[in-house]
Amino acid sequence: MAGMAQTPTSRPRILSGMQPTSDSLHIGNYIGALTSWIGLQDDFEPYFFVADLHALTVATDPEVVRRRTRLTAAQYIAAGIDTDRCAVFCQSHVREHAEVMWVLSCQTAMGEMERMTQFKDKVAKGQKANVGLFTYPVLMAGDILLYDAQRVPVGEDQRQHLEITRDLAVRFNQRFGETFVVPEPHILKQSAKIMDLQEPTAKMSKTSSSPKGMIDILDDPKRIAKNIRSAVTDGEGEVRYDPEGKPGVSNLLVIHSALSGTPVDELERRFEGQGYGSFKGEVADVVVDAVAPFRERIEELTSDPAELDRILAAGAERARTVAAATMDRVREAVGLLAAGV
Ligand code: TYM
């Protein structure tokens, strides 16, 4: 039965999450992260959560947070995450996330957080910096360490957060004895950074891309095709992979290749001497075909919020079993008394 509570298996664990900061995931989230989650779900014991606590770092209407949390979970499932094999849950439903974060934040130097490039970028772009945004990577470290996750499938932009997670795990283990598994990033080489269509030297982003620079996976197919056709390229007219010299064309090649499975060099040969018009037309077809099934499935899933909530409750139950055991080890390690009965 979908989402049924299961006991943890002996397979190595993977864990990842996304922030519910938009109604639709974009093609970067899908290609950079979600496709690798799907590819790993058979060989690992997977924990995939909606990072609703992280999303509170951005001031958002509570109704919108609720809607986007359900929508984000629904998109995991619509994309092919199997709730029988994977625990799909909300971060806030497993209270150990907030608890372990406090303990880890007492092991984190101010300077380590001040160095985080995502924090610096967000502040530079005018986002108001609350303390939650500043300590965001510590919460993320807690998310990962609670589950003894060995691999963390994410896009390139999360690499620095994974490095601080590893640093914190090693430091904690050295000071308090072996408590945490030190996780490895799982970042696919070419597709881990999908760029903005209008500004192909910047990553596509839910919070900073313009609507024309994005491909939302739940968007209307006509708009998706239009955005791809108006993607910024260059004046050369040659379909060639060269991320430095031709970032726009290279980005479209990566998107096509990731979704169609056709190697980039084969695409270069296929479009030789054809200019950008037919190339962009085919990229648009490939993207529209890839995301079309999502929209239908999402409508089905969101039309029954009670069923979705049931799946999330079952996922949280599975997650809690693992998180609570880790948290017991953490409490013991740092010297917190066990709660009396
Ligand atoms: P978030 O919500 O910004 O992004 C979700 C996932 O999508 C990847 N991604 C991209 N990949 C390729 N190209 C892009 N343009 C692109 N934009 C985003 C991200 O790398 C990510 O894998 N901090 C995380 C959420 C999080 C988390 C965690 C992840 C919280 N706790 C623990 C892993 C483990 C975030 O904000 O992702």
Side-chain angles (χ1 to χ4, degrees):
M1 200 171 111
M4 199 169 70
Q6 284 178 359
T7 45
T9 67
S10 56
R11 281 172 291 156
R13 299 212 180 103
I14 50 165
L15 166 132
S16 201
M18 302 204 186
Q19 292 195 75
T21 39
S22 162
D23 281 346
S24 172
L25 299 178
H26 58 65
I27 204 84
N29 303 132
Y30 179 64
I31 294 175
L34 205 39
T35 52
S36 46
W37 299 10
I38 292 161
L40 294 169
Q41 63 183 342
D42 288 333
D43 299 327
F44 288 82
E45 182 185 312
Y47 292 80
F48 297 131
F49 66 98
V50 181
D52 53 353
L53 293 175
H54 275 108
L56 298 183
T57 56
V58 184
T60 314
D61 182 89
E63 247 343 290
V64 175
V65 177
R66 264 188 282 279
R67 185 183 72 226
R68 290 179 171 170
T69 299
R70 287 203 182 94
L71 267 171
T72 303
Q75 287 173 89
Y76 296 174
I77 299 165
I81 294 298
D82 173 2
T83 54
D84 274 339
R85 280 176 290 171
C86 310
V88 174
F89 62 101
C90 287
Q91 185 184 30
S92 65
H93 290 176
V94 182
R95 290 170 207 267
E96 284 80 0
H97 287 251
E99 193 179 353
V100 77
M101 184 215 172
W102 177 255
V103 176
L104 289 172
S105 64
C106 296
Q107 304 301 321
T108 310
M110 291 289 286
E112 285 178 304
M113 292 295 100
E114 281 159 359
R115 276 202 301 278
M116 294 288 113
T117 51
Q118 282 220 343
F119 174 75
K120 288 196 283 193
D121 286 353
K122 283 183 179 167
V123 173
K125 282 182 189 144
Q127 188 171 331
K128 277 227 178 80
N130 51 50
V131 176
L133 187 68
F134 183 64
T135 55
Y136 175 117
V138 186
L139 179 58
M140 179 160 164
D143 299 336
I144 298 167
L145 299 179
L146 272 182
Y147 296 90
D148 294 338
Q150 297 186 359
R151 298 266 198 95
V152 185
V154 284
E156 183 60 45
D157 60 343
Q158 299 300 317
R159 189 182 289 280
Q160 198 186 31
H161 292 157
L162 295 188
E163 278 161 13
I164 188 80
T165 303
R166 287 170 56 86
D167 290 349
L168 286 172
V170 168
R171 183 180 313 155
F172 192 99
N173 288 348
Q174 276 167 356
R175 176 153 182 219
F176 298 108
E178 284 305 309
T179 308
F180 293 128
V181 169
V182 181
E184 293 290 334
H186 182 92
I187 300 175
L188 300 177
K189 208 165 156 252
Q190 201 174 50
S191 54
K193 194 168 183 186
I194 301 299
M195 309 310 259
D196 183 296
L197 299 181
Q198 288 299 314
E199 205 189 330
T201 48
K203 71 161 183 174
M204 191 180 286
S205 158
K206 281 180 279 199
T207 43
S208 58
S209 290
S210 72
K212 282 182 72 187
M214 303 249 287
I215 306 171
D216 278 339
I217 66 174
L218 299 182
D219 215 345
D220 170 53
K222 283 203 196 94
R223 236 218 349 246
I224 293 179
K226 196 167 160 218
N227 279 2
I228 294 172
R229 275 197 305 271
S230 56
V232 167
T233 47
D234 53 68
E236 199 187 59
E238 192 188 337
V239 178
R240 182 164 47 81
Y241 182 73
D242 170 7
E244 295 281 306
K246 296 166 72 69
V249 170
S250 303
N251 191 35
L252 294 176
L253 277 167
V254 168
I255 292 172
H256 187 316
S257 174
L259 297 177
S260 66
T262 315
V264 165
D265 55 356
E266 196 179 317
L267 293 173
E268 286 175 334
R269 280 195 299 278
R270 190 189 300 168
F271 289 100
E272 206 177 327
Q274 287 191 41
Y276 296 148
S278 54
F279 171 56
K280 284 179 168 178
E282 192 172 302
V283 177
D285 289 345
V286 165
V287 174
V288 167
D289 285 351
V291 301
F294 292 172
R295 283 156 50 96
E296 243 171 70
R297 192 76 186 96
I298 283 290
E299 268 163 41
E300 219 176 279
L301 286 157
T302 49
S303 67
D304 189 356
E307 170 63 6
L308 199 54
D309 288 355
R310 201 194 56 72
I311 291 173
L312 292 173
E317 201 180 310
R318 277 160 75 175
R320 224 174 275 128
T321 315
V322 180
T326 311
M327 201 56 224
D328 282 348
R329 293 201 308 267
V330 171
R331 277 198 215 98
E332 166 79 19
V334 298
L336 297 173
L337 290 182
V341 266

